[in-house]
Amino acid sequence: MFQIQVSTSINGDDTEFSCEADETLLDVLRDRLGMTGSKEGCGTGDCGACSVVVDGRLVCSCLMLGAEAQGREIETIEGMADGTELHPLQQKFLDHAALQCGVCTPGFLVAAKSLLERNDDPTEEEVRYWLAGNLCRCTGYDKIVRAVLDTAKDMRKPAKTKKPAAKKRVKA
């Protein structure tokens, strides 16, 4: 098979790679680029462990061909932290013990970040609906949902309120 040359942006960095025509984006990320955060849980798009964001849209990287990344902007779990500083979602997952074996965690984090970028004040129902494409065999989901809701609360910008005008003193 021939190799396809791909130019893309991954986590804000211009990236070039070559891949086979039938190679998934997940395989490219893990095997060619050494970005092993995204996991293969099912290979059929049912578990969400390989979730990435492509041009602002949450996708299962096991269902996308690497060649389809041409000219796209891709965000992976590796781009979530800022150096050694964890993203607030990552910290809340730790604080709430919202992870156990860790296979599903990167997908949940990427999906939750995608949700909070669209809706900074989701209800519990909205969080559960948004994360329904991600499966976990260990946590029972409640701690994950609580971590996302707690992050949303902490990340919301306070509503801008006008300060009352200062009262002027009137001399009698």
Side-chain angles (χ1 to χ4, degrees), residues 143-161:
K143 292 177 181 181
I144 293 169
V145 171
R146 299 286 162 240
V148 174
L149 289 169
D150 197 20
T151 303
K153 182 184 74 172
D154 285 357
M155 290 181 70
R156 276 193 293 278
K157 297 179 181 118
K160 292 183 180 181
T161 56

Side-chain angles (χ1 to χ4, degrees), residues 17-151:
F17 60 84
S18 60
C19 64
E20 303 288 333
D22 63 349
E23 199 168 358
T24 67
L25 178 59
L26 176 61
D27 289 336
V28 168
L29 291 171
R30 293 181 59 78
D31 301 337
R32 295 194 182 267
L33 300 176
M35 302 176 84
T36 58
S38 299
K39 308 293 188 231
E40 182 170 358
C42 66
T44 59
D46 294 315
C47 74
C50 66
S51 295
V52 297
V53 175
V54 179
D55 291 339
R57 188 170 153 236
L58 187 64
V59 301
C60 291
S61 61
C62 71
L63 296 180
M64 181 176 168
L65 295 174
E68 292 178 296
Q70 175 62 38
R72 305 278 184 95
E73 290 186 24
I74 299 168
E75 297 173 46
T76 70
I77 188 66
E78 285 87 357
M80 200 164 175
D82 185 11
T84 59
E85 186 177 330
L86 295 178
H87 184 278
L89 270 167
Q90 293 170 307
Q91 187 58 56
K92 290 295 183 184
F93 267 57
L94 291 172
D95 295 347
H96 286 269
L99 55 123
Q100 288 184 25
C101 80
V103 172
C104 68
T105 305
F108 270 106
L109 286 166
V110 169
K113 182 176 182 274
S114 179
L115 166 63
L116 295 181
E117 287 172 349
R118 286 167 176 70
N119 179 358
D120 69 351
D121 192 12
T123 64
E124 180 176 337
E125 182 179 5
E126 290 168 325
V127 171
R128 288 183 183 278
Y129 180 80
W130 189 269
L131 298 180
N134 295 75
L135 302 178
C136 175
R137 295 178 57 130
C138 303
T139 65
Y141 301 100
D142 194 57
K143 292 177 181 181
I144 293 169
V145 171
R146 299 286 162 240
V148 174
L149 289 169
D150 197 20
T151 303

